[in-house]
């Protein structure tokens, strides 16, 4: 029963810690990819809606193009979402400190701790999802129709962050239809106005897709068709184990227990609060479990389940649950701090193949330096990569360390829809960085000679001297001053 000022002070310190980690931990390839997006702002992109690019753009405008600028709004927005989650819990269950317990529970997870400092589309999605949950709780408590405008706004912003927010839209509709006390809203204009607001916020993404062969809808929508039951023996245990580790073991047990209690209470009483928590957690759990019957579920994808699940978990008050409450928080915080220490100073002497931080984040500066040195020795005028993440990392690292701009160009088809500056490289000599194990594609090049290789962790990148063919008369420039 800590006082609120102390909790806010703790959240402030935690946010400062996360900002420090954001500034010091190297960028992941996808983060560098989104940084390139921010140099070509658009209503849509081949992979996702535009919100992550907008957040990166605003952050770099404030704090520069380094890691801190790219990630700046993550820790700040997650802190705000924590406050809104706490208020949502207090609104649904007043006087029981449910919201405070839920916010503490969620902030103690490795999933939340890492998600706050790594900038992906899931970061704004989680923030707007939690904001929508907060507005729904306020609506349920007050009955004030104006909250439907906030619900529509946050639902639209969530959908402009990641298409997984369709589950949020589904959850809102299910909550109204399933809960007898909420069906009255179907006969009032406010929910329909809120829905129109959500659609209006999301409509630029639809228009962009319509003008680009529905590229991101097709790319992400294609995942829904994955159905290979034989693979479930591999992917379902991997999904459960991943959540067990990222949510941290005891907090994961708490969240599962909370979701089961919410389902029981909602079924028994159709209480609007419990039904809301079910509608915003169970559909996601079912969808990701279904996806695991055909393909791998990335560990951060199910993050949207946990804001509602944490509120439900905070209502577990029996002696058995009370006994493991403090150990659950302590274990979660310890695991998160250990991950922070490993990412910043390499606290544990793990083999590279067993260190996920090193596999994803470390060594990109050295790769970029060696690639650029090879470029100068070869008299090459540009750098290209056969994989978008590698190209984005090279673009960011070379831009950060070189006073003069070195053209890093995109040759993959996925770069074509981007509104980036174009450069003509036909007939010019360049460097190709190839990350695959097989032979590189010779099609774009009139000549190709292998020069050397550079190693990053367990990954080897082969460096080629290439001459661009006439087909590369105009290619996107990934790095610019």
């Amino acid at each position: 029963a800590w006082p609120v000022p102390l909790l806010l002070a703790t959240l402030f310190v935690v946010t400062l810690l996360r900002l420090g980690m954001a500034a010091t931990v190297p960028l992941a390839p996808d983060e560098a990819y989104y940084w390139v997006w921010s140099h070509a702002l658009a209503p849509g992109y081949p992979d996702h809606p535009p919100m992550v690019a907008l957040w990166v753009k605003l952050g770099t405008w404030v704090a520069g193009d380094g890691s801190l600028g790219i990630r700046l709004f993550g820790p700040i927005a997650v802190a705000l979402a924590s406050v809104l989650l706490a208020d949502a819990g207090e609104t649904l269950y007043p006087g029981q400190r449910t919201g405070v317990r839920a916010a503490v529970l969620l902030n103690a997870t490795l999933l939340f701790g890492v998600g706050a400092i790594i900038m992906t589309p899931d970061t704004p999605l989680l923030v707007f999802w939690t904001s929508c949950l907060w507005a729904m709780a306020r609506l349920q408590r007050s009955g004030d129709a104006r909250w439907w405008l906030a619900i529509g706004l946050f639902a639209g912003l969530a959908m402009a962050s990641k298409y997984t927010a369709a589950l949020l839209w589904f959850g809102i509709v299910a909550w109204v239809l399933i809960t007898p006390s909420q069906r009255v809203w179907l006969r009032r204009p406010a929910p329909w106005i809120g829905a129109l607001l959500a659609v209006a916020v999301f409509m630029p993404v639809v228009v962009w897709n319509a003008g680009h062969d529905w590229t991101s809808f097709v790319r992400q929508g294609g995942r829904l068709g994955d159905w290979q039951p034989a693979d479930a023996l591999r992917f379902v245990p991997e999904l459960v184990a991943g959540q067990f580790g990222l949510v941290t073991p005891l907090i994961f047990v708490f969240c599962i227990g909370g979701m089961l209690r919410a389902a029981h209470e909602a079924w028994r009483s159709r209480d609007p609060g419990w039904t809301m928590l079910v509608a915003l957690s169970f559909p996601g759990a079912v969808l990701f479990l279904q996806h695991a019957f055909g393909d791998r579920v990335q560990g951060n994808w199910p993050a949207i389940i946990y804001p509602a699940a944490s509120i439900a978990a905070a209502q577990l008050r029996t002696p058995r649950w009370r006994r493991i409450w403090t150990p659950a928080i302590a274990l979660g915080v310890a695991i998160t701090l250990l991950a922070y220490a490993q990412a910043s100073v390499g606290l544990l002497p793990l083999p590279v193949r067993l260190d996920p931080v090193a596999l994803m984040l470390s060594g990109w500066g050295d790769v970029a330096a060696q690639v650029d040195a090879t470029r100068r020795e070869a008299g090459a005028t540009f750098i290209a990569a056969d994989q978008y993440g590698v190209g984005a990392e090279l673009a960011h690292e070379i831009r950060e360390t070189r006073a003069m701009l070195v053209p890093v160009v995109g040759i993959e088809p996925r770069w074509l829809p981007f509104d980036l500056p174009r450069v003509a490289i036909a007939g010019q000599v360049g460097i190709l960085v190839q990350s695959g194990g097989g032979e590189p594609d010779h099609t774009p090049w009139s000549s190709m000679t292998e020069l050397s290789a550079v190693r990053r962790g367990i990954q080897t990148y082969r460096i080629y001297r290439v001459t661009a063919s006439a087909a590369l008369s105009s290619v996107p420039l990934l790095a610019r001053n």
Side-chain angles (χ1 to χ4, degrees):
W2 290 4
V4 171
L6 180 58
L7 290 168
L8 291 176
T10 302
L11 180 60
F12 179 74
V13 172
V14 168
T15 302
L16 289 180
L17 173 62
R18 288 170 175 167
L19 286 169
M21 292 298 300
T24 56
V25 173
L27 293 179
D30 279 353
E31 291 181 287
Y33 182 45
Y34 304 138
W35 168 77
V36 176
W37 288 17
S38 73
H39 289 86
L41 290 180
Y45 296 94
D47 304 84
H48 294 289
M51 190 62 68
V52 66
L54 181 60
W55 280 32
V56 171
K57 186 68 173 181
L58 293 174
T60 54
W61 180 72
V62 173
D65 283 292
S67 297
L68 178 60
I70 291 171
R71 296 166 170 161
L72 180 65
F73 279 89
I76 295 171
V78 165
L80 176 60
S82 300
V83 174
L84 296 181
L85 180 69
D87 187 78
E90 296 301 314
T91 301
L92 290 173
Y93 306 100
Q96 302 180 43
R97 297 185 66 81
T98 297
V100 169
R101 290 165 61 86
V104 170
L105 199 70
L106 202 55
N107 275 277
T109 64
L110 180 61
L111 181 67
F112 218 59
V114 172
I117 64 171
I118 301 296
M119 181 56 70
T120 71
D122 294 274
T123 307
L125 170 65
L126 185 62
V127 170
F128 292 127
W129 184 293
T130 304
S131 302
C132 193
L133 169 60
W134 167 72
M136 292 171 68
R138 285 283 178 166
L139 170 71
Q140 190 273 322
R141 176 73 179 276
S142 68
D144 188 338
R146 289 174 294 183
W147 283 107
W148 278 110
L149 298 180
I151 292 170
L153 174 63
F154 292 133
L157 292 171
M159 196 70 171
S161 301
K162 193 175 181 181
Y163 299 132
T164 315
L167 291 168
L168 176 60
W169 293 27
F170 174 82
I172 295 169
V173 173
W175 176 60
V176 173
L177 293 178
I178 293 172
T179 312
S181 63
Q182 302 302 310
R183 291 177 194 155
V184 66
W185 289 115
L186 296 174
R187 299 190 298 271
R188 298 181 181 177
W192 304 103
I193 296 173
L196 289 175
L197 178 58
V199 171
V201 172
F202 181 60
M203 187 54 64
V205 182
V206 178
V207 173
W208 183 90
N209 271 273
H212 292 82
D213 298 320
W214 308 102
T215 176
S216 67
F217 285 177
V218 171
R219 183 187 296 272
Q220 299 300 335
R223 299 177 186 273
L224 298 176
D226 293 331
W227 181 254
Q228 301 290 336
D231 291 336
L233 295 176
R234 176 160 58 109
F235 293 132
V236 172
E238 182 182 281
L239 168 63
V240 175
Q243 296 308 294
F244 193 77
L246 285 171
V247 183
T248 67
L250 294 180
I251 296 179
F252 181 68
V253 171
F254 256 102
C255 289
I256 295 299
M259 290 172 64
L260 293 177
R261 184 185 174 190
H264 173 74
E265 296 290 345
W267 178 264
R268 182 179 61 86
S269 65
R270 294 296 192 271
D271 174 80
W274 287 112
T275 306
M276 181 192 305
L277 299 181
V278 170
L280 296 185
S281 60
F282 269 87
V286 171
L287 177 68
F288 293 121
L289 183 62
Q290 178 271 327
H291 187 78
F293 273 74
D295 200 357
R296 174 171 288 109
V297 176
Q298 299 299 326
N300 58 309
W301 292 356
I304 55 175
I305 296 171
Y306 297 107
S310 66
I311 293 178
Q315 282 292 91
L316 298 173
R317 304 296 182 92
T318 64
R320 178 179 299 176
W321 288 109
R322 288 178 182 273
R323 281 196 296 272
I324 66 172
W325 172 263
T326 300
I329 300 300
L331 179 60
V333 170
I335 291 174
T336 302
L337 292 177
L338 181 62
Y340 282 1
Q342 184 66 19
S344 56
V345 298
L347 183 65
L348 299 177
L350 297 175
V352 174
R353 67 181 183 278
L354 300 178
D355 187 345
V357 175
L359 286 174
M360 182 179 295
L361 305 180
S362 66
W364 288 108
D366 294 337
V367 171
Q370 184 164 336
V371 168
D372 192 45
T374 303
R375 178 195 65 82
R376 285 183 274 113
E377 291 174 4
T381 59
F382 67 88
I383 296 172
D386 70 336
Q387 202 275 337
Y388 73 92
V390 176
E393 284 280 6
L394 292 173
H396 182 265
E397 291 294 333
I398 290 174
R399 187 182 190 279
E400 284 288 290
T401 57
R402 298 281 297 169
M404 298 297 293
L405 178 64
V406 177
V408 180
V409 299
I411 58 171
E412 281 191 282
R414 75 165 60 217
W415 292 114
L416 295 179
F418 286 75
D419 186 21
L420 290 164
R422 294 299 204 266
V423 292
I425 61 171
Q428 296 185 24
V429 174
I431 292 295
L432 172 67
V433 180
Q434 196 244 348
S435 52
E439 283 295 315
D441 181 11
H442 290 253
T443 306
W445 318 111
S446 57
S447 67
M448 175 180 290
T449 304
E450 184 169 354
L451 299 178
S452 61
V454 58
R455 191 171 180 84
R456 188 189 68 84
I458 62 174
Q459 177 70 54
T460 299
Y461 303 91
R462 290 187 289 172
I463 302 176
Y464 293 84
R465 185 181 187 273
V466 293
T467 302
S469 67
L472 296 178
S473 60
S474 179
V475 293
L477 179 65
L478 307 187
R480 61 179 179 179
N481 286 328

